[in-house]
Amino acid sequence: MSYEMIALLMFSTMMLLLLTGQRVFGVIGFVGAASALLLWGQGGVEMPFNSAIQLMNWYPLLTLPLFIYMGYMLSESGIASELYEMFHVWMGSLRGGLAVGTIGLMVVVSAMNGLSVAGMAIGATIALPELLRRGYDKIMVTGVIQAGSSLGILVPPSVVLVLYGMIARQPVSQLWLAGAIPGLILAALFVIYIVIRCRLQPHLGPALPSEERQMSLAEKLKLLRAGILPLLIFFFMTGLFLMGVTSLVESSAVGAVSATLAALVKRRLTWKVIESTVHKTLGISCMFMWIILAALCFGAVFDGLGAVRAIENIFLDRIGMSPWQILVMMQLSYILLGMFLDDTAMLVIVAPLYVPLVISLGFDPIWYGVLYTITVQIAYMTPPFGYNLFLMRAMAPPEISLGDIYRSVWPFVGIMLIGLALITIFPQLALWLPQLYRGY
């Protein structure tokens, strides 16, 4: 059997097993291990074993539980709710101001957390009830929260970019810097859309009544203190890392300790908060560990086959596709996979194939990492089976139907496609900061 047929058989078997509802890491690991045994006999058992040992020796893996712990500690201790109150007062006089403030909250939460799920949870539990109570259009604000939560895997310290760096063997610091400007561009596009639409249709996002905005400047400045702790945490965590004072693992430890001290200063470090934070951190961290282990095993078989080179020959030599056509095809495959899988599963399924192919085609893997994160978030928000759509339905109040959620995302999907096109056409939007920082 040719290498191309073996690769096709592996992928088709994996997708078939995924459709049966089996866990992602179990399917990927099983296909990788079974393929190794069938291809190389008894010696193939060493591949999954070596992958497990490689994972256990992967020192940067320590960053994942520490970043996840930091995000959940900030969420469970209520610091995020104080941030929303600050945005609520300062942006309330603007039509659509609370929706703009929600995007601001999501940017700050993303800079503290790195997970889109956490941003979705905070937006749905803190911002959404307040927006609905203030008379905001339920369809628009549902889209605002889903779009804002998408920034969590792009703005540093993105956990997904850490995973991409590990699997693609790219420096995490460069990926974080590459994601910063695109993340802010998307946030700015969201804000511009909200302001323009609420100006044209004021009933969608009314300004706060004047009596609720009667607050002295001193009181407003006092509210700004809610943003001091998150900024300090972000500086100590990301700033020290980018300045070369701490390593990536040390930076994640600084973030975790800073979040715990912030909760202690706020007098919210209770046993209930600690138990909830540790429990959620353990669950998410173990999920990531198993998925990475399966991806390493699957990738090792692909490397041994030389399947990447074979597939490159199919597209370039036999079909005659250009590198840009292949890139577009890869991005479209993410949209399709995003109907059924989350971002981590998509990454570990296709990264062993796509990243070497991207490099061989002459594209920058750091730039491609940013394209990947934006594309999978678009896939998350695309009906009918987008992962974020059902997550939002689980968290939203009963008056918001699944149909409302479907209708809410289309304007923001369009905006994200514009952002994706900008990053694709102008790679320097993603690469300028990495080049400036270390001559990348």
Side-chain angles (χ1 to χ4, degrees):
M1 185 181 292
S2 66
Y3 292 151
E4 293 92 335
M5 287 302 300
I6 295 174
L8 181 61
L9 181 62
M10 288 178 65
F11 267 99
S12 59
T13 303
M14 180 174 60
M15 295 306 297
L16 181 63
L17 289 176
L18 286 172
L19 291 175
T20 65
Q22 301 299 318
R23 294 188 180 275
V24 172
F25 73 85
V27 169
I28 299 171
F30 170 76
V31 172
S35 299
L37 288 171
L38 291 172
L39 288 168
W40 293 290
Q42 188 174 356
V45 75
E46 297 294 330
M47 270 191 175
F49 176 77
N50 290 338
S51 297
I53 296 300
Q54 181 182 355
L55 181 68
M56 294 301 104
N57 289 331
W58 217 346
Y59 184 60
L61 190 67
L62 288 173
T63 59
L64 291 180
L66 292 170
F67 280 137
I68 294 167
Y69 170 89
M70 176 190 68
Y72 279 118
M73 176 58 71
L74 292 170
S75 174
E76 296 294 321
S77 61
I79 292 175
S81 60
E82 292 184 351
L83 278 171
Y84 187 68
E85 183 182 358
M86 178 188 74
F87 285 116
H88 174 95
V89 171
W90 278 88
M91 306 299 296
S93 60
L94 179 70
R95 287 175 182 170
L98 294 187
V100 173
T102 300
I103 295 295
L105 171 69
M106 296 295 189
V107 172
V108 177
V109 168
S110 299
M112 298 186 301
N113 186 283
L115 288 170
S116 60
V117 174
M120 175 80 77
I122 290 171
T125 56
I126 296 174
L128 183 58
E130 186 67 18
L131 289 164
L132 294 175
R133 189 173 70 85
R134 299 288 178 179
Y136 275 65
D137 180 71
K138 64 178 181 179
I139 294 177
M140 187 187 75
V141 298
T142 303
V144 167
I145 290 171
Q146 291 188 85
S149 68
S150 70
L151 302 172
I153 67 168
L154 196 57
V155 176
S158 167
V159 171
V160 173
L161 283 177
V162 173
L163 284 173
Y164 175 86
M166 290 178 177
I167 295 174
R169 295 176 175 85
Q170 300 298 320
V172 174
S173 60
Q174 303 293 326
L175 288 165
W176 278 0
L177 290 169
I181 291 179
L184 294 176
I185 288 174
L186 285 178
L189 291 175
F190 294 154
V191 168
I192 291 170
Y193 165 75
I194 293 167
V195 171
I196 293 175
R197 188 173 180 191
C198 289
R199 180 172 290 274
L200 297 175
Q201 298 174 290
H203 65 280
L204 296 181
L208 284 182
S210 57
E211 58 270 15
E212 295 190 32
R213 291 185 270 119
Q214 294 300 322
M215 184 178 291
S216 66
L217 181 61
E219 290 175 313
K220 287 186 176 182
L221 292 175
K222 186 177 180 180
L223 281 175
L224 288 177
R225 293 189 303 180
I228 294 177
L229 274 177
L231 286 175
L232 286 175
I233 293 172
F234 182 75
F235 170 76
F236 285 124
M237 177 186 60
T238 309
L240 293 177
F241 171 62
L242 295 177
M243 290 188 295
V245 177
T246 59
S247 66
L248 178 63
V249 175
E250 291 167 343
S251 174
S252 63
V254 168
V257 172
S258 300
T260 306
L261 292 176
L264 181 63
V265 169
K266 292 286 187 178
R267 297 182 180 179
R268 293 171 185 165
L269 192 64
T270 63
W271 281 114
K272 183 179 179 180
V273 168
I274 295 173
E275 181 182 7
S276 177
T277 299
V278 172
H279 184 267
K280 292 179 179 179
T281 300
L282 182 63
I284 297 293
S285 300
C286 289
M287 178 194 71
F288 278 140
M289 186 189 74
W290 280 109
I291 287 178
I292 295 172
L293 174 60
L296 290 174
C297 176
F298 191 86
V301 176
F302 251 75
D303 289 340
L305 276 174
V308 173
R309 181 60 184 168
I311 292 173
E312 180 186 347
N313 287 335
I314 290 176
F315 289 126
L316 291 177
D317 300 335
R318 297 186 190 178
I319 301 179
M321 297 178 69
S322 70
W324 281 101
Q325 288 175 325
I326 296 174
L327 183 71
V328 171
M329 185 189 67
M330 290 191 291
Q331 299 304 95
L332 291 175
S333 71
Y334 280 128
I335 300 292
L336 179 63
L337 287 171
M339 295 182 179
F340 309 100
L341 304 171
D342 64 17
D343 49 11
T344 308
M346 282 189 280
L347 177 62
V348 299
I349 287 173
V350 298
L353 172 64
Y354 281 7
V355 175
L357 186 57
V358 164
I359 295 173
S360 67
L361 292 174
F363 295 115
D364 192 303
I366 299 294
W367 169 71
Y368 182 73
V370 176
L371 295 186
Y372 157 78
T373 56
I374 298 175
T375 305
V376 295
Q377 280 306 122
I378 294 173
Y380 261 26
M381 295 169 58
T382 305
F385 303 115
Y387 184 82
N388 266 19
L389 302 174
F390 295 102
L391 187 62
M392 186 69 200
R393 183 66 196 93
M395 297 180 179
E399 62 263 30
I400 296 178
S401 67
L402 187 59
D404 294 331
I405 295 173
Y406 280 178
R407 290 194 298 272
S408 71
V409 298
W410 289 115
F412 296 97
V413 167
I415 292 170
M416 294 180 76
L417 286 172
I418 292 172
L420 179 63
L422 287 173
I423 306 304
T424 303
I425 297 170
F426 305 106
Q428 283 302 113
L429 291 174
L431 297 177
W432 177 72
L433 266 184
Q435 290 172 347
L436 181 68
Y437 178 61
R438 279 186 181 172
Y440 170 72

